[in-house]
Amino acid sequence: MGNEILLRLREFHPADANIIAGWLKNEYQMRQWCADRYSRYPVTANDINSFHYKFIDGYSSIALTMVDAAKVIGYITLRKPTLEDSEWRLGFVIVDDAKRGLGLGKKLVGMAVDYAHKELDATKVSLGVFENNPSAIHCYEAAGFKQVQREKTESYICLGEIWNCIEMEFVKSRQIHDFL
């Protein structure tokens, strides 16, 4: 266990944006993280905070930071994709690039799913992930997400290519992992 006991989610603070922006080392990685939500690379702290002020209202969209004691090591958003309160959608999932491969992404996703179920009364948590991001797909599957078929595949044009999304869901009736 060790340091894992210190991991917790808290509300995003504007000062977190500078740290998060520093994790995006190249435009390819940045586009995998945000698709077309940011118009340019590199993404700055001001870009992240502007996005936050414009799209994160604290009610139908929430931004959370994972911290280990006081150190920022992850970031994730939750939003309601419809008017239904029962479904929340994960987005902008990222962990400190210096700490990748340690299971922190799985931990962050699991904590966010737990938060959605316990604090937001979600019965379903969904997400979209690009099919060219196998490490993220593995992370989400390890956290209990299953791929689902949509009638139409969501696609984005990123870096001159068409990137297709894989739709994934975590439904509460499935076994909930003990992430905390």
Side-chain angles (χ1 to χ4, degrees):
M1 290 247 166
N3 289 346
E4 287 187 31
I5 295 169
L6 302 175
L7 292 178
R8 66 180 177 87
L9 288 179
R10 66 155 168 78
E11 192 176 291
F12 168 82
H13 299 157
D16 300 339
N18 196 47
I19 297 164
I20 296 162
W23 298 336
L24 300 165
K25 300 297 187 198
N26 60 62
E27 188 170 5
Y28 189 85
Q29 178 191 52
M30 184 272 282
R31 295 287 169 210
Q32 285 182 318
W33 176 66
C34 75
D36 61 356
R37 301 310 193 273
Y38 292 95
S39 60
R40 64 185 172 175
Y41 177 81
V43 173
T44 67
N46 285 341
D47 295 332
I48 293 172
N49 284 324
S50 293
F51 182 90
H52 184 270
Y53 294 129
K54 189 172 182 180
F55 296 107
I56 306 295
D57 64 13
Y59 171 71
S60 62
S61 53
I62 299 165
L64 300 168
T65 303
M66 183 170 68
V67 294
D68 182 358
K71 186 171 171 45
V72 173
I73 57 171
Y75 173 79
I76 195 164
T77 63
L78 289 147
R79 67 175 173 85
K80 290 196 312 185
T82 66
L83 295 177
E84 286 292 314
D85 287 338
S86 61
E87 181 180 354
W88 285 79
R89 191 162 180 85
L90 298 183
F92 297 93
V93 180
I94 192 167
V95 296
D96 181 342
D97 62 309
K99 297 182 182 296
R100 290 204 181 128
L102 302 176
L104 292 172
K106 176 183 171 185
K107 187 77 168 173
L108 173 62
V109 169
M111 291 170 77
V113 166
D114 192 60
Y115 179 92
H117 287 153
K118 290 180 179 173
E119 303 297 326
L120 306 172
D121 240 5
T123 55
K124 178 169 90 171
V125 179
S126 63
L127 61 85
V129 59
F130 287 121
E131 58 191 11
N132 66 355
N133 195 346
S135 60
I137 295 165
H138 175 76
C139 171
Y140 301 138
E141 288 174 341
F145 280 79
K146 304 290 182 211
Q147 292 188 28
V148 295
Q149 293 300 314
R150 274 193 158 172
E151 222 173 272
K152 186 174 187 254
T153 301
E154 193 175 328
S155 298
Y156 293 82
I157 296 175
C158 294
L159 303 175
E161 301 173 345
I162 296 174
W163 290 7
N164 294 320
C165 277
I166 295 171
E167 183 69 15
M168 301 185 85
E169 292 179 355
F170 186 107
V171 179
K172 193 172 183 174
S173 62
R174 293 191 186 126
Q175 180 183 359
I176 296 177
H177 298 88
D178 180 20
F179 291 105
L180 301 177

